[in-house]
Amino acid sequence: ASITGDLGSGKSVVSKLLCAATGFAYVSTGQIQRQLAQDMGLDTLEMNRRADTDPSIDERIDGIFVDLGHDPNGYVVDSRLAWFFLPMSLKIYLQTDPAESARRILHDPTRKSETYETTEEALAKLQARKKSENERFWVKYGADCTNLQLFDLVVDTTYRTPEQVAALILQAKQIRETGGWFGRYW
């Protein structure tokens, strides 16, 4: 499965729950990106801005997913573009109200490279980061991250627990494997 979505939508937590339920390995662009930003002495927004002019940043990150497409093992991939590089995966988009996303990120102690003073500051910087990434992915790959029709499953996580979201995804995965139909929007 490839999981993408809004910043702060719970992609990492849901991905880890899916890995625990399926035994699949976890691959996270967020961790890779935050580590790269830290190594470069930047925050993630600044690194994204540099990636607009430095293609080696995206090449380092995106190359991982191209390789996964040739690997027969099962993975849960938490990535903004994995759905694009892994077209046969169950493509999942997690949506969240922007204010809720900002609140979650502001209070997440694991995001050391993303520090904000207020929810408003977090919201503004997250929206700028999302815009920067979407524009870069469109220009570089022709990947429209805003077109939800490209995803097999779209789940609103604003009022759902990560466990509820993971259960919906596992249900969709089972239905898909048996050739059944499941709704796209939840």
Side-chain angles (χ1 to χ4, degrees):
S2 58
I3 299 182
T4 190
D6 297 332
L7 301 165
S9 61
K11 297 179 297 295
S12 298
V13 174
V14 169
S15 294
K16 290 173 185 172
L17 289 170
L18 292 172
C19 287
T22 62
F24 291 168
Y26 175 66
V27 178
S28 166
T29 300
Q31 287 177 335
I32 295 165
Q33 192 175 36
R34 283 189 286 277
Q35 182 61 52
L36 182 59
Q38 187 175 9
D39 292 348
M40 295 172 72
L42 305 170
D43 67 21
T44 52
L45 175 57
E46 182 57 32
M47 189 183 73
N48 274 317
R49 287 186 176 140
R50 283 200 186 173
D52 289 337
T53 58
D54 181 355
S56 71
I57 293 171
D58 282 335
E59 289 167 8
R60 287 174 66 179
I61 296 168
D62 299 340
I64 293 167
F65 303 107
V66 173
D67 293 341
L68 286 179
H70 305 291
D71 190 329
N73 295 314
Y75 292 93
V76 175
V77 183
D78 170 4
S79 163
R80 297 275 291 137
L81 273 182
W83 63 271
F84 183 78
F85 292 115
L86 302 168
M88 299 308 291
S89 66
L90 176 63
K91 296 177 283 304
I92 302 157
Y93 191 98
L94 302 185
Q95 275 186 316
T96 303
D97 175 77
E100 176 62 14
S101 293
R103 187 196 65 74
R104 289 177 184 176
I105 290 171
L106 181 67
H107 299 291
D108 183 349
T110 65
R111 293 180 183 253
K112 294 178 180 20
S113 67
E114 296 175 271
T115 55
Y116 310 103
E117 296 296 321
T118 65
T119 303
E120 293 77 20
E121 178 191 11
L123 181 59
K125 286 188 175 183
L126 293 172
Q127 288 175 329
R129 179 176 157 198
K130 183 176 179 178
K131 181 178 186 234
S132 170
E133 288 176 351
N134 286 344
E135 288 172 357
R136 189 171 73 252
F137 298 155
W138 175 253
V139 169
K140 187 166 186 167
Y141 302 110
D144 185 358
C145 298
T146 66
N147 182 356
L148 298 182
Q149 295 295 313
L150 298 173
F151 299 92
D152 300 311
L153 185 63
V154 178
V155 181
D156 187 330
T157 69
T158 304
Y159 302 108
R160 287 187 171 104
T161 66
E163 292 79 11
Q164 291 169 326
V165 174
L168 281 171
I169 293 168
L170 289 170
Q171 181 181 7
K173 178 184 175 300
Q174 269 186 327
I175 292 169
R176 180 181 177 176
E177 288 172 352
T178 60
W181 180 86
F182 55 90
R184 176 175 287 147
Y185 298 98
W186 291 83

